[in-house]
Amino acid sequence: FEFVKTPTTGSLLSNLQVELNPDQVGKNLHPLFFGDLDVTVKPDAMDYVCDTVPMMKDTNNLRVVLQQLNGEPLKAADFDFKVVDDNTLMGWNNAVIATSPTDYTPWSKGEVSTGLTERDDELVMAYAEMSFPRLVTENKPRLVITRHDGNETVVDIPLINYLLALKSDVLASMPSQEFLDRESRWSMIFILDSRYKWVAVHIKVRDWTVRLNNAEF
């Protein structure tokens, strides 16, 4: 992250902004922390003040794992992963300032084995890790996974809705934004069918079918 304008003598706090260097998109971002503290120094006090500044981590890492329902091995190179969000610019108060959407692509991709199946086949899953700045509830970031050959959609979901679903009931009273700010390392697993589509979850109630698929929450 870099200052949009380097502070100089006479600069106002409200003009302070930091922006993600475009060259760092698709890389493992170095943790960025934000914090502020009001301190009063009396005229007859010593020339230094010792205090603690509460800090908030403004960078996130998401690890996505894909598994084939029938146990067939998957290759990460067969899929394209990205998180789409508009959060590269932050103001003096750590607020995310809208500019334009950015595609955060993986800084790491590969395969991981979970051992042998009942048929003595090795279960190999594909994974990708993406790093991106602060998540805010006012935005609508999406996690999008497509097939590398043909660009067919595998997963397309509202990311924040799904991350908030991971919040334990122990934290029921914690506001959604505070939860997003306290967490910084996320993991998600998707099960794919034989057509390499995310398995749609549905509930059958008499003659009605309620589907929880790729729709907006």
Side-chain angles (χ1 to χ4, degrees), residues 63-72 74 79 81 112 114 123-127 143 145 147 153-157 162 187-202 212-214:
R63 183 179 176 94
V64 176
V65 178
L66 302 180
Q67 177 181 334
Q68 179 68 278
L69 184 63
N70 60 16
E72 292 184 1
L74 295 178
F79 302 90
F81 304 77
V112 60
T114 60
L123 182 58
V124 178
M125 301 184 295
Y127 73 86
L143 169 63
I145 305 173
R147 292 290 304 278
T153 300
V154 177
V155 173
D156 185 353
I157 61 171
Y162 277 77
S187 299
M188 305 181 78
I189 299 178
F190 296 93
I191 309 299
L192 308 185
D193 61 17
S194 58
R195 299 176 297 127
Y196 298 99
K197 289 280 191 177
W198 175 33
V199 176
V201 178
H202 68 275
L212 303 179
N213 200 350
N214 295 339

Side-chain angles (χ1 to χ4, degrees), residues 98-187:
T99 53
S100 60
T102 297
D103 292 349
Y104 299 100
T105 51
W107 61 269
S108 179
K109 294 174 66 173
E111 293 79 38
V112 60
S113 172
T114 60
L116 300 179
T117 66
E118 295 179 354
R119 298 175 300 179
D120 290 333
D121 297 324
E122 186 179 16
L123 182 58
V124 178
M125 301 184 295
Y127 73 86
E129 293 197 48
M130 290 155 282
S131 187
F132 44 88
R134 187 186 183 205
L135 295 169
V136 291
T137 55
E138 293 83 4
N139 285 4
K140 296 182 178 180
R142 302 194 70 84
L143 169 63
V144 181
I145 305 173
T146 56
R147 292 290 304 278
H148 186 68
D149 55 344
N151 205 35
E152 186 177 4
T153 300
V154 177
V155 173
D156 185 353
I157 61 171
L159 180 60
I160 285 181
N161 296 34
Y162 277 77
L163 295 183
L164 290 178
L166 302 176
K167 185 172 71 169
S168 168
D169 284 352
V170 174
L171 308 174
S173 62
M174 179 182 293
S176 296
Q177 186 59 59
E178 182 178 353
F179 176 71
L180 294 173
D181 288 332
R182 285 180 175 270
E183 295 289 339
S184 62
R185 295 183 178 89
W186 310 91
S187 299

Side-chain angles (χ1 to χ4, degrees), residues 48-100:
Y48 69 91
V49 175
C50 182
D51 212 327
T52 300
V53 181
M55 305 296 287
M56 176 191 302
K57 190 176 181 182
D58 274 341
T59 48
N60 295 268
N61 190 77
L62 171 65
R63 183 179 176 94
V64 176
V65 178
L66 302 180
Q67 177 181 334
Q68 179 68 278
L69 184 63
N70 60 16
E72 292 184 1
L74 295 178
K75 293 182 179 180
D78 293 336
F79 302 90
D80 294 325
F81 304 77
K82 66 180 179 180
V83 168
V84 184
D85 200 0
D86 184 357
N87 59 345
T88 57
L89 180 64
M90 287 178 283
W92 67 275
N93 57 354
N94 209 36
V96 172
I97 302 171
T99 53
S100 60

